[in-house]
């Protein structure tokens, strides 16, 4: 990364920043974006780190996907098939998976070797951040990882299987951003003590992807430059600029004027203004994930299932979907997208205030109680929170809303420091069982387990029966038996009055200028930009 930065032309960087100046009082009108630069207006509030073995926030993943490669990738346009990236091919046997790597180099000029793959996965588990949860649920941990991965030679990588998941489930995990391959020599050279280079890699990059990191100013700008030596060919776009544009109306105006090429943090109403509008198109990415109401089951009264059920009946899902969520999703209370194979029908959790009041009274709270709802100050979650506040007031629950930036709210969630909180969840794999994983996985609910990377643990919801059934389903190699167990798992989840209540299946509406071609949004936010082209004005 250092060597790349030294080659950047000062004039080129200055031009990029001029194109990416934030708008404000007295700011000059901006010209149409250059044909060789892609400018994205988005919210960077959740970009807390660019370390691929640490960051899991969606916008961080968008950046990481272009700075780094993984062994494999998931082609959502081809039925979620697993396809090569750094791995040219792989072979599955009874004990593990062996990968053959292509010839590639990192941005530093160092060759990509199997030792870098080993280092990256060991680093993921040894750092023991929340991002390691993906591999932990497959049976890997900081103690066993070094025995489970090996590099027989520079272009051969081997990972041994555990008895926790089937091979495809492991391959899907290796396609995620947390499994990105880092330049081990570059990272080791910038390590401080035993931090595995985390302090440095949070704000720098050491990847082999189609772009390299030129600048990141938090809540302002991320600038990436094309990697001319990329193994997949030089990207068409010379520069990618991600501008912090959290105010929807301002971002809409910027897109209309041509100051940005893509907007992906607009309100539902602003997205709607681009319907059938010449010069623009709306991409609706079905993420497979959910907007969730997390309830802290470690606190009364949320520890009582009847109270959680009352809240489930105290929310007007349809009304919120119609008036607020719009293109951002659809109402759904089972954590498997409704059109995925194996999904069960939705329960009858509609807005029924009288039923909700009775459930509260039966639980010992006829007069209701007060709670605080925390949310990241980002569309559409703030408006969701306000609507939920109004709904729950009708059943006697007084809710105060606390907005914050990504770091504040995520930290509170991981520390169990909340009553109610609105996070978003993604599927572990693009299957019904993979979608259930985040919602039914909590092997150790004790506070001292400190499993902050576990979505259910954060809500202190102890679910030994669900967890055991999930583990058994993941081990089952007979497709029919696994499908039956997946159905049972959904039914038991609903019956348990969940403390992690799915609200809306999550879509990602993206408004794109007609000048842009080849932009395909990824459900996991791992959107690659190296094939994007742009017409001149």
């Amino acid at each position: 990364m250092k060597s790349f930065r030294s080659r950047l032309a000062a004039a080129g960087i200055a031009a990029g920043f001029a194109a990416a100046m934030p708008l404000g009082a007295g700011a000059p009108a901006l010209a149409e974006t250059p044909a060789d630069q892609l400018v994205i207006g988005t919210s960077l509030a959740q970009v807390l780190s660019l370390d691929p073995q640490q960051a899991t926030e969606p916008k961080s993943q968008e950046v990481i996907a272009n700075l780094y490669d993984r062994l494999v990738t998931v082609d959502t346009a081809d039925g979620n098939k697993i396809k090569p990236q750094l791995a040219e091919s792989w072979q599955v046997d009874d004990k593990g998976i062996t990968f053959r790597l292509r010839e590639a180099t990192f941005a530093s000029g160092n060759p990509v070797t199997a030792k870098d793959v080993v280092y990256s996965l060991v680093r993921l588990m040894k750092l023991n951040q929340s991002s390691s949860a993906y591999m932990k649920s497959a049976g890997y941990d900081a103690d066993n990882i070094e025995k489970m991965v090996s590099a027989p030679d520079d272009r051969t990588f081997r990972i041994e299987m555990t008895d926790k998941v089937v091979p495809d489930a492991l391959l899907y995990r290796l396609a995620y951003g947390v499994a990105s391959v880092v330049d081990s020599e570059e990272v080791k050279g910038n390590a401080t003590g035993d931090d595995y280079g985390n302090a440095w890699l949070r704000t720098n990059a050491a990847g082999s992807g189609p772009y390299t990191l030129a600048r990141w100013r938090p809540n302002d700008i991320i600038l990436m430059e094309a990697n001319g030596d990329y193994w997949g060919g030089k990207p068409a776009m010379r520069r990618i600029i991600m501008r912090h544009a959290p105010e929807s109306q301002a971002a809409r105006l910027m897109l209309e004027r041509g100051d940005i090429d893509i907007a992906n943090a607009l309100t539902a109403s602003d997205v709607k203004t681009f319907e059938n509008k010449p010069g623009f198109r709306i991409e609706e990415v079905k993420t497979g994930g959910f907007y969730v109401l997390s309830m802290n089951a470690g606190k009364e009264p949320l520890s009582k299932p009847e109270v959680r059920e009352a809240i489930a009946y105290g929310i007007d899902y349809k009304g919120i979907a119609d008036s607020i969520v719009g293109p951002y999703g659809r109402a759904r209370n089972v954590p498997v997208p409704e059109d995925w194979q194996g999904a069960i029908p939705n329960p009858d959790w509609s807005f029924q205030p009288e039923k909700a009041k009775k459930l509260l009274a039966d639980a010992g709270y006829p007069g209701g109680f007060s709670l605080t709802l925390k949310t990241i100050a980002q569309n559409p979650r703030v408006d969701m929170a306000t609507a939920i506040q109004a709904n729950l007031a009708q059943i006697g629950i007084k809710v105060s809303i606390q907005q914050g930036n990504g770091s504040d709210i995520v930290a509170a969630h991981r520390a169990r420091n909340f009553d109610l909180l609105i996070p978003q969840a993604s599927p572990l794999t693009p299957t019904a069982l993979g979608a259930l994983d985040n919602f039914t996985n909590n092997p150790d609910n004790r506070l001292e387990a400190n499993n902050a990377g576990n979505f259910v643990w954060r809500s202190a919801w102890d679910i030994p029966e669900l967890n055991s059934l999930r583990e058994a389903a993941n081990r089952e190699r007979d497709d029919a038996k696994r499908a039956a167990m997946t159905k049972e798992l959904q039914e038991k989840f609903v019956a348990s009055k969940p403390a992690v209540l799915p609200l809306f299946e999550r879509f990602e509406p993206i408004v794109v200028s007609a000048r842009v071609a080849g932009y395909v949004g990824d459900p996991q936010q791992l959107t690659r930009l190296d094939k994007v082209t742009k017409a001149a004005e």
Side-chain angles (χ1 to χ4, degrees):
M1 192 64 230
K2 290 176 179 175
S3 58
F4 171 75
R5 283 184 170 180
S6 66
R7 296 197 301 268
L8 280 175
I13 294 179
F17 290 150
M21 281 178 58
L23 292 179
L30 300 180
E32 294 287 340
T33 59
D36 63 350
Q37 298 186 34
L38 185 71
V39 185
I40 301 172
T42 189
S43 171
L44 299 177
Q46 281 187 277
V47 180
L48 312 178
S49 169
L50 294 180
D51 184 334
Q53 273 87 57
Q54 178 182 46
T56 57
E57 293 76 20
K59 298 306 176 187
S60 296
Q61 293 296 297
E62 246 182 275
V63 181
I64 287 167
N66 290 282
L67 300 176
Y68 295 87
D69 293 315
R70 291 96 65 202
L71 286 170
V72 292
T73 185
V74 177
D75 189 344
T76 56
D78 191 16
N80 290 322
K81 288 184 181 177
I82 300 164
K83 295 191 175 180
Q85 199 164 86
L86 277 177
E88 288 182 325
S89 62
W90 56 91
Q91 295 291 326
V92 178
D93 57 49
D94 290 341
K95 294 184 178 180
I97 308 175
T98 301
F99 297 85
R100 184 66 177 167
L101 304 187
R102 69 175 72 249
E103 290 187 5
T105 58
F106 290 106
S108 66
N110 294 330
V112 178
T113 70
K115 291 179 182 178
D116 295 300
V117 184
V118 169
Y119 177 81
S120 300
L121 291 176
V122 170
R123 180 177 187 272
L124 171 66
M125 305 315 297
K126 294 289 187 179
L127 280 175
N128 199 27
Q129 302 275 339
S130 61
S131 51
S132 65
Y134 295 103
M135 294 298 287
K136 282 181 179 178
S137 66
Y140 302 91
D141 57 38
D143 295 327
N144 71 11
I145 188 63
E146 290 173 293
K147 298 176 182 177
M148 304 298 282
V149 293
S150 60
D153 60 55
D154 280 352
R155 293 186 62 195
T156 305
F157 168 73
R158 168 83 177 176
I159 183 167
E160 307 301 328
M161 294 285 297
T162 70
D163 62 353
K164 298 290 187 181
V165 294
V166 298
D168 276 1
L170 177 57
L171 284 167
Y172 279 126
R173 284 166 169 82
L174 294 175
Y176 281 5
V178 299
S180 296
V181 178
V182 303
D183 183 338
S184 60
E185 294 303 316
E186 189 87 339
V187 175
K188 288 175 184 176
N190 286 282
T192 301
D194 59 355
D195 80 337
Y196 284 89
N198 174 245
W200 179 78
L201 210 52
R202 287 172 64 93
T203 56
N204 292 275
S208 61
Y211 287 91
T212 55
L213 182 65
R215 180 68 64 92
W216 169 33
R217 288 201 301 255
N219 293 329
D220 183 11
I221 186 174
I222 293 172
L223 179 65
M224 295 182 281
E225 298 280 341
N227 178 1
D229 298 322
Y230 182 54
W231 59 263
K234 185 178 179 179
M237 292 292 100
R238 179 172 61 90
R239 178 175 292 135
I240 305 295
I241 301 169
M242 299 179 71
R243 302 177 57 180
H244 185 49
E247 297 298 328
S248 179
Q249 187 176 27
R252 175 175 61 80
L253 292 172
M254 291 161 68
L255 186 60
E256 290 173 338
R257 288 205 308 263
D259 299 333
I260 60 177
D261 302 304
I262 296 172
N264 62 15
L266 300 179
T267 62
S269 59
D270 280 327
V271 171
K272 192 174 180 62
T273 65
F274 289 95
E275 290 182 358
N276 303 314
K277 190 169 188 173
F280 302 94
R281 68 181 184 275
I282 300 172
E283 303 279 351
E284 187 180 81
V285 181
K286 293 184 177 180
T287 69
F290 288 82
Y291 291 109
V292 181
L293 182 64
S294 289
M295 312 179 210
N296 193 335
K299 295 183 177 182
E300 290 192 14
L302 296 168
S303 57
K304 296 189 175 183
E306 300 86 353
V307 169
R308 300 196 299 266
E309 185 179 20
I311 290 174
Y313 281 110
I315 298 173
D316 184 4
Y317 308 99
K318 184 179 185 307
I320 297 174
D322 291 344
S323 63
I324 295 170
V325 179
Y328 276 92
R330 59 187 172 197
R332 175 74 170 158
N333 304 122
V334 179
V336 178
E338 65 179 39
D339 54 0
W340 281 21
Q341 184 177 1
I344 68 170
N346 214 54
D348 182 31
W349 285 341
S350 54
F351 187 46
Q352 300 181 46
E354 294 307 316
K355 184 170 186 173
K357 288 178 184 178
K358 184 177 186 307
L359 284 165
L360 288 180
D362 291 346
Y365 300 95
F369 45 81
S370 297
L371 297 172
T372 297
L373 171 58
K374 295 185 177 182
T375 182
I376 292 173
Q378 188 179 67
N379 295 318
R381 282 186 267 189
V382 172
D383 289 340
M384 280 184 201
T386 302
I388 290 170
Q389 178 188 49
N391 288 165
L392 295 184
Q394 296 184 53
I395 67 171
I397 300 177
K398 183 178 179 181
V399 174
S400 59
I401 297 174
Q402 182 180 332
Q403 299 182 36
N405 59 32
S407 58
D408 293 337
I409 301 302
V410 171
H413 194 199
R414 291 175 177 171
R416 294 180 168 180
N417 180 25
F418 66 96
D419 299 329
L420 304 174
L421 191 144
I422 302 180
Q424 58 187 39
S426 299
L428 187 60
T429 63
T431 63
L433 185 57
L436 284 162
D437 199 276
N438 267 330
F439 293 84
T440 56
N441 176 1
N442 191 10
D444 188 348
N445 193 55
R446 295 173 304 132
L447 180 63
E448 53 267 32
N450 193 29
N451 194 5
N454 184 289
F455 192 66
V456 176
W457 181 91
R458 297 178 191 182
S459 284
W461 188 36
D462 199 12
I463 49 169
E465 183 181 3
L466 286 175
N467 189 74
S468 295
L469 179 56
R470 177 196 59 82
E471 289 182 340
N474 274 311
R475 286 194 299 267
E476 181 55 61
R477 299 206 174 196
D478 183 281
D479 291 344
K481 290 180 180 178
R482 189 167 63 252
M485 296 166 80
T486 300
K487 179 176 182 290
E488 182 184 1
L489 190 58
Q490 292 172 79
E491 293 168 344
K492 287 184 178 294
F493 173 84
V494 171
S496 297
K497 316 299 188 293
V500 283
L501 174 65
L503 299 171
F504 306 98
E505 188 181 334
R506 184 166 53 84
F507 301 163
E508 185 82 6
I510 302 170
V511 185
V512 183
S513 165
R515 294 178 65 195
V516 175
Y519 180 91
V520 181
D522 183 84
Q524 296 295 329
Q525 306 289 330
L526 296 169
T527 303
R528 294 277 270 204
L529 302 171
D530 52 312
K531 303 303 181 186
V532 171
T533 60
K534 193 166 65 168
E537 275 298 306

